[in-house]
């Protein structure tokens, strides 16, 4: 019989069992006696928590990792219970091989088919964007403790805004829609599942101080209460982090404060309540549309972004952002009857982005800069800019029931979510410090009574409901067949004083719905090998921007959909961990827009075929040395042209050496992101060659104290990793206003850690 536990990291539990936790639930898988390393009793005492939980992680993706040398040291592995391609990033890799400033995209970067762009100000210092199999951020889910989160205009994400690396226990990247119980707005592209730090039964404190390139300082502390007997065995975890840095780019400082708290409260022999809250505040100097032109790069270098000249659009005092977020989850887990289990997650999260930015930082200072008065006269030499606010609060609840029916397990449940958003942008004269009329010409449709300095000012609402059911059938002890079905209903409402793009009042509503089938199979012919197959449908509702027009009834746009086919296997040998897969995804109803009679009309245009092969392996020697490698070949071809869609790398690869022995921990890992294009036409000028990042780390433990040195981008690559294509001046074939983003180059850090 298999047992369920919640643990803190990839850890040896007994001489025959290794368990991976992800801050949620796991399955322990016995290993053969011949393969089992020696038991680590202290590790078991430190990690294990007594409360049982649902044996699913990431809403149904079970974790089974056998006790082998390879899985003990592997930075990335996969579960024997998986029904789709999967990569599990261990907490030890996050702690021992990456700088403490790393954001969640960099935690996932080591996995197959995952790549990033942006992040040009330094690792975790400036925002990066992740891509999964060529699906862009917003086309796949990111979850935290099983709760999908993202912006309310579309489900995109901000990598350094909510969850610093110290709030993340581990990461599970699912490359596919999963089963019907996998939730989120964009499951068809996959899911990056983050899991919160785990509480411990023993009291203790960990503190870390790190200093490195760009005058970067990080301080963090985490306190474990241990099991509090007077409160029925309650365990509490409190943490905090502060980061300050000048940043890699000129005059682009960054400051972050994060607070984190979690309490696990047993309220009965079979009922547990978990309360979690995290607060984050960032202040940084950066234009709203960052990146530099080739002319700016030639004149100032790749590290240029802002300056200290108040007569220049690049003045740092005209370009800054304050972001504040919080995220709260209350999870109730209860065994309501023998073989029956109930889970409920109630949550809320908040995002507030207050930005002041120059309208265009690609132009130099001079007479071409001018703001406009209400009477149409020009203020020559004045710097035009704007103030922008994006503020939303999201509420939701996820309810799931699991019922053991003997040869089958039934899982049913639902998800409801709603949000309230306020967004506005007002034109601003940076030189005078006042509103700029900025006379817009929307085909003379600007209504009387709407001030011309208002670019847009809108409120919006989003409401969605998903209900699902799946039945895990077990015709034999080694086979699981899981059919499922999910119904989705999504509604957007917009009420605007001045709508974005039209500058006109608006009051619009649009709704979409669909029913999605799922079928997965997992076959484990022995305790080392699993084979799986998946068929699943995906769904992504249109973004809020489809309501940025005069008459949304002219839109014909329907949700983007996908049909996923995947086959793969996972093997856990005594010294070798190996998995590989092939996939094909038919992606339809690609969003597109066009101008008709002066209005922007949205419709669906063709689709994309995603297909490829992926694999990863770790081989561990008996002396603590391990070799790691993974790779993917990814095609994302537009059905109408046969060309690779923009920002979709043709391949990814990672390789490395890890060494853990006694007090010494060392690693060198390299990640290659393959060539890609910045445009769908695959224009030669917009081809971005392959680029790589190498991270080397060396740590030594002195009992309760430790020191670690890390060098990111060891070979100092400053290659282009993103191009924003802008409209250039008339006749400008090369678009001199295009903005380029470069890798940040070599970074170093040294950290000291104390454990009490």
């Amino acid at each position: 019989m298999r047992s369920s536990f919640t643990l803190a990291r990839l850890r040896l539990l007994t001489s025959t069992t290794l368990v991976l936790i992800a801050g949620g639930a796991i399955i322990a898988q016995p290993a053969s006696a011949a393969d089992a390393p020696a038991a680590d009793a202290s590790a078991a005492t430190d990690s294990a928590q007594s409360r049982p939980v649902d044996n699913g992680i990431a809403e149904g993706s079970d974790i089974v990792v056998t006790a082998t040398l390879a899985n003990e040291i592997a930075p990335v592995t996969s579960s024997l219970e998986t029904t789709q391609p999967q990569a599990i990033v261990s907490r030890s890799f996050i702690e021992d091989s990456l700088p403490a400033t790393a954001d969640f995209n960099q935690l996932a970067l080591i996995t197959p088919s995952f790549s990033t762009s942006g992040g040009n100000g330094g690792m975790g210092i400036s925002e990066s964007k992740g891509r999964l199999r060529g699906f862009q951020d917003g086309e796949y889910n990111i979850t935290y403790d099983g709760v999908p989160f993202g912006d309310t205009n579309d489900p995109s994400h901000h990598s350094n805004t909510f969850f610093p690396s110290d709030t993340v226990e581990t990461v599970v990247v699912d490359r596919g829609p999963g089963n019907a119980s996998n939730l989120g707005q964009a499951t068809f592209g996959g899911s990056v599942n983050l899991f919160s730090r785990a509480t411990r039964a023993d009291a203790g404190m960990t503190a870390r101080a790190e200093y490195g390139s760009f005058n970067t300082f990080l301080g963090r502390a985490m306190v474990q209460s241990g099991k509090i007997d007077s409160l029925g065995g309650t365990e509490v975890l409190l943490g905090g982090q502060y980061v300050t840095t000048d940043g890699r780019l000129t005059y682009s400082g960054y400051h972050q404060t994060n607070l984190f708290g979690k309490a696990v409260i047993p309220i009965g022999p079979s009922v547990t309540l978990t309360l979690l809250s995290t607060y984050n505040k960032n202040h940084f100097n950066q234009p709203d549309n960052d990146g530099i032109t080739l002319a700016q790069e030639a004149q100032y270098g790749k590290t240029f972004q802002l300056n200290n000249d108040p007569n220049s659009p690049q003045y740092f005092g005209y370009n800054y952002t304050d972001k504040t977020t919080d995220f709260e989850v209350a999870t109730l887990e209860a065994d309501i009857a023998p073989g029956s289990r109930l889970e409920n997650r109630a949550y809320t999260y908040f995002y507030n982005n207050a930005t002041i930015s120059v309208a265009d930082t690609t132009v130099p200072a001079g007479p071409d800069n001018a703001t406009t008065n209400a009477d149409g006269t020009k203020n020559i030499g004045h710097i035009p800019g704007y103030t922008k606010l994006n503020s939303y609060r999201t509420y939701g609840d996820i309810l799931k029931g699991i019922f053991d029916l003997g040869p089958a397990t039934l899982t049913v449940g639902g998800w409801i979510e709603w949000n309230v958003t306020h967004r506005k942008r007002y034109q601003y004269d940076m030189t005078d410090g006042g509103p700029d009329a900025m006379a817009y010409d929307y085909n003379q449709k600007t209504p009387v009574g709407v001030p011309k300095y208002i670019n847009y000012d809108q409120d919006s609402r989003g409401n969605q409901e998903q209900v699902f059911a799946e039945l895990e059938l077990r015709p034999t002890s080694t086979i699981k067949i899981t059919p499922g079905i999910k119904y989705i209903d999504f509604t957007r409402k917009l009420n605007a004083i001045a709508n974005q793009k039209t500058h006109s009042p608006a009051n619009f509503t649009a709704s979409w719905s669909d029913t999605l089938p799922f079928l997965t199979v997992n076959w484990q012919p022995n305790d080392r090998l699993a084979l799986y197959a998946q068929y699943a449908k995906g769904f992504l509702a249109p973004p809020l921007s489809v309501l940025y027009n005069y008459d949304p009834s002219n839109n014909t746009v329907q949700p983007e959909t996908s049909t996923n086919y995947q086959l793969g296997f996972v093997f856990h040998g005594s010294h070798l961990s190996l998995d590989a897969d092939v996939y094909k995804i038919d992606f339809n109803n690609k969003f597109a827009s066009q101008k008709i009679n002066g209005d922007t009309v949205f419709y669906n245009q063709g689709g994309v075929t995603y297909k490829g092969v992926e694999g990863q392996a770790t081989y561990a020697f008996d002396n603590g040395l391990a070799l790691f490698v993974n790779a993917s070949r990814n095609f994302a071809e537009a059905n109408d042209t046969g060309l690779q869609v923009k920002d979709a790398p043709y391949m990814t690869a990672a390789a490395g050496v890890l060494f853990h022995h006694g007090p010494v921990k060392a690693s060198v890992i390299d990640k290659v992101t393959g060539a890609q294009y910045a445009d769908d036409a695959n224009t030669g000028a917009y081809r971005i060659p392959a680029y790589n990042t190498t991270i080397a780390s060396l740590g030594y433990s002195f009992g309760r104290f430790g020191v670690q040195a890390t060098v990111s981008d060891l070979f100092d690559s400053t290659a282009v990793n993103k191009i924003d294509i802008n409209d250039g001046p008339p006749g400008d074939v090369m678009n001199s206003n295009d903005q380029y983003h470069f890798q940040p180059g070599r970074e170093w850090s040294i950290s000291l850690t104390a454990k009490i």
Side-chain angles (χ1 to χ4, degrees):
M1 177 179 293
R2 293 173 178 170
S3 303
S4 292
F5 303 89
T6 298
L7 303 181
R9 67 180 64 203
L10 190 64
R11 184 77 74 154
L12 202 60
L13 181 62
T14 69
S15 61
T16 59
T17 307
L18 181 71
V19 194
L20 173 84
I21 80 104
I26 56 89
I27 293 283
Q29 171 66 51
S32 65
D35 293 333
D40 184 348
S42 63
T45 301
D46 177 65
S47 297
Q49 298 184 44
S50 60
R51 69 186 187 282
V53 299
D54 162 44
N55 62 3
I57 193 169
E59 297 301 313
S61 179
D62 294 341
I63 299 298
V64 175
V65 182
T66 48
T68 66
L69 288 175
N71 284 330
E72 184 178 3
I73 195 172
V76 181
T77 187
S78 186
S79 165
L80 288 170
E81 294 290 316
T82 191
T83 56
Q84 63 185 349
Q86 180 188 75
I88 306 164
V89 182
S90 70
R91 178 64 200 174
S92 61
F93 170 74
I94 296 172
E95 285 188 342
D96 302 333
S97 297
L98 295 176
T101 56
D103 64 29
F104 57 68
N105 282 331
Q106 282 133 3
L107 306 187
L109 179 60
I110 193 176
T111 66
S113 292
F114 197 88
S115 61
T116 63
S117 63
N120 314 117
M123 183 168 286
I125 295 170
S126 58
E127 186 175 318
S128 65
K129 290 294 184 181
R131 298 166 300 196
L132 183 59
R133 289 178 167 175
F135 287 103
Q136 305 302 300
D137 179 62
E139 296 180 327
Y140 60 88
N141 290 319
I142 300 182
T143 71
Y144 189 73
D145 277 2
V147 174
F149 70 96
D151 279 353
T152 54
N153 55 327
D154 62 39
S156 56
H157 307 88
H158 305 280
S159 63
N160 60 357
T161 301
F162 277 97
F163 307 113
S165 64
D166 205 38
T167 67
V168 178
E169 187 76 33
T170 194
V171 181
V172 179
V173 180
D174 285 324
R175 301 190 297 274
N179 294 323
S181 58
N182 280 46
L183 299 174
Q185 289 188 42
T187 311
F188 71 97
S191 295
V192 175
N193 304 297
L194 314 175
F195 293 91
S196 66
R197 296 300 301 271
T199 61
R200 301 283 191 269
D202 296 329
M205 183 181 77
T206 301
R208 181 170 183 170
E210 182 171 286
Y211 183 81
S213 298
F214 324 130
N215 195 30
T216 301
F217 171 78
L218 175 146
R220 63 168 52 155
M222 187 160 285
V223 180
Q224 296 273 6
S225 72
K227 186 176 294 186
I228 305 173
D229 293 335
S230 60
L231 297 178
T234 294
E235 298 172 6
V236 178
L237 171 62
L238 298 175
Q241 173 175 292
Y242 176 73
V243 179
T244 181
T245 178
D246 296 337
R248 176 234 185 202
L249 304 177
T250 57
Y251 291 90
S252 298
Y254 170 82
H255 310 277
Q256 179 196 65
T257 301
N258 177 266
L259 300 174
F260 174 83
K262 182 176 180 179
V264 179
I265 308 168
I267 56 178
S270 58
V271 181
T272 301
L273 175 66
T274 301
L275 303 177
L276 178 146
S277 179
T278 182
Y279 166 87
N280 201 82
K281 184 174 180 61
N282 292 351
H283 174 86
F284 54 92
N285 291 92
Q286 178 179 298
D288 198 26
N289 296 304
D290 61 325
I292 60 174
T293 66
L294 292 179
Q296 290 172 325
E297 187 237 333
Q299 184 173 3
Y300 303 112
K302 293 180 179 179
T303 62
F304 175 71
Q305 178 163 266
L306 299 174
N307 61 30
N308 65 344
D309 179 7
N311 296 314
S312 164
Q314 293 82 29
Y315 179 48
F316 75 94
Y318 299 154
N319 298 275
Y320 61 89
T321 297
D322 286 292
K323 287 188 179 182
T324 303
T325 67
D326 65 67
F327 194 98
E328 289 78 35
V329 187
T331 303
L332 183 69
E333 302 165 301
D335 294 326
I336 55 178
S340 299
R341 183 159 187 79
L342 182 70
E343 281 189 4
N344 192 82
R345 289 181 177 87
Y347 65 89
T348 180
Y349 59 90
F350 172 75
Y351 174 88
N352 190 87
N353 176 344
T355 293
I356 290 182
S357 179
V358 166
D360 188 356
T361 58
T362 67
V363 298
D368 288 340
N369 290 303
T371 60
T372 308
N373 297 316
D375 60 4
T377 59
K378 297 282 188 178
N379 298 314
I380 303 300
H382 285 210
I383 309 298
Y386 55 85
T387 64
K388 185 183 79 172
L389 176 70
N390 181 13
S391 183
Y392 59 79
R393 169 68 69 180
T394 297
Y395 306 88
D397 191 86
I398 299 170
L399 177 65
K400 181 170 70 171
I402 306 102
F403 306 96
D404 187 356
L405 307 178
T409 299
L410 174 66
T411 302
V412 295
W415 175 34
I416 58 172
E417 184 180 87
W418 63 99
N419 59 67
V420 180
T421 304
H422 182 62
R423 303 175 70 246
K424 64 181 180 180
R425 173 171 155 174
Y426 289 6
Q427 302 310 120
Y428 200 75
D429 185 327
M430 294 296 185
T431 306
D432 275 351
D436 173 14
M438 191 68 77
Y440 294 99
D441 179 13
Y442 295 103
N443 286 348
Q444 308 302 318
K445 291 185 178 181
T446 300
V448 175
V450 177
K452 292 185 177 181
Y453 64 82
I454 298 180
N455 187 309
Y456 58 84
D457 191 332
Q458 62 183 214
D459 292 306
S460 63
R461 306 286 187 272
N463 299 289
Q464 64 173 319
E465 299 84 34
Q466 297 187 15
V467 292
F468 60 86
E470 62 187 36
L471 185 65
E472 180 188 276
L473 303 169
R474 297 182 291 273
T476 72
S477 61
T478 61
I479 297 177
K480 295 179 181 178
I481 303 172
T482 309
I485 191 167
K486 177 162 57 184
Y487 174 77
I488 299 175
D489 185 83
F490 195 96
T491 298
R492 292 193 183 278
K493 298 180 180 181
L494 185 148
N495 185 282
I497 297 171
N499 199 8
Q500 193 165 343
K501 302 297 184 182
T502 69
H503 196 63
S504 299
N507 191 346
F508 303 138
T509 300
S511 297
W512 305 273
S513 61
D514 204 350
T515 301
L516 309 178
F518 297 80
L519 178 64
T520 62
V521 178
N522 179 282
W523 174 40
Q524 297 182 39
N526 57 55
D527 61 1
R528 292 300 188 195
L529 177 66
L531 297 93
Y532 61 83
Q534 179 189 64
Y535 163 82
K537 291 278 191 176
F539 172 97
L540 176 61
L544 185 65
S545 59
V546 301
L547 301 181
Y548 297 166
N549 41 29
Y550 294 110
D551 186 0
S553 66
N554 292 326
N555 294 333
T556 60
V557 67
Q558 294 297 314
E560 292 180 334
T561 61
S562 67
T563 305
N564 298 255
Y565 308 91
Q566 308 196 85
L567 295 168
F569 74 90
V570 179
F571 174 74
H572 291 169
S574 60
H575 290 70
L576 176 67
S577 175
L578 177 68
D579 62 84
D581 67 272
V582 295
Y583 68 91
K584 181 177 183 290
I585 304 170
D586 293 323
F587 171 77
N588 299 303
N589 295 346
K590 186 178 181 181
F591 299 142
S593 64
Q594 62 181 333
K595 286 281 189 179
I596 298 178
N597 297 325
D599 194 11
T600 301
V601 175
F602 290 83
Y603 64 100
N604 297 109
Q605 182 184 54
V608 181
T609 299
Y610 293 82
K611 58 187 177 183
V613 58
E614 304 159 320
Q616 59 187 9
T618 299
Y619 187 86
F621 298 89
D622 291 329
N623 61 358
L625 180 69
L627 305 178
F628 167 79
V629 64
N630 69 40
S632 67
R633 183 72 167 95
N634 308 102
F635 298 93
E637 298 171 339
N639 294 341
D640 53 349
T641 65
L643 300 176
Q644 189 87 345
V645 299
K646 68 177 183 178
D647 300 329
Y650 281 100
M651 55 80 68
T652 69
V657 179
L658 302 99
F659 180 73
H660 288 189
H661 185 75
V664 179
K665 295 181 179 181
S667 64
V668 179
I669 293 180
D670 183 77
K671 177 63 182 268
V672 178
T673 298
Q676 59 194 284
Y677 288 92
D679 68 340
D680 287 324
N682 291 186
T683 307
Y686 291 125
R687 183 180 185 273
I688 300 175
Y691 53 89
N692 71 305
T693 300
T694 304
I695 301 179
S697 181
L698 176 63
Y700 191 89
S701 176
F702 302 89
R704 294 185 180 275
F705 300 93
V707 60
Q708 179 177 321
T710 303
V711 180
S712 306
D713 200 349
L714 180 65
F715 300 107
D716 199 25
S717 173
T718 57
V720 174
N721 66 9
K722 181 184 178 185
I723 303 174
D724 295 326
I725 301 175
N726 300 319
D727 294 331
D732 181 17
V733 178
M734 293 302 295
N735 285 10
S736 59
N737 289 342
D738 291 341
Q739 292 171 277
Y740 288 73
H741 303 254
F742 305 91
Q743 290 182 274
R746 186 182 297 117
E747 305 174 52
W748 62 268
S749 64
I750 296 177
S751 66
L752 301 175
T753 303
K755 298 181 179 180
I756 301 174

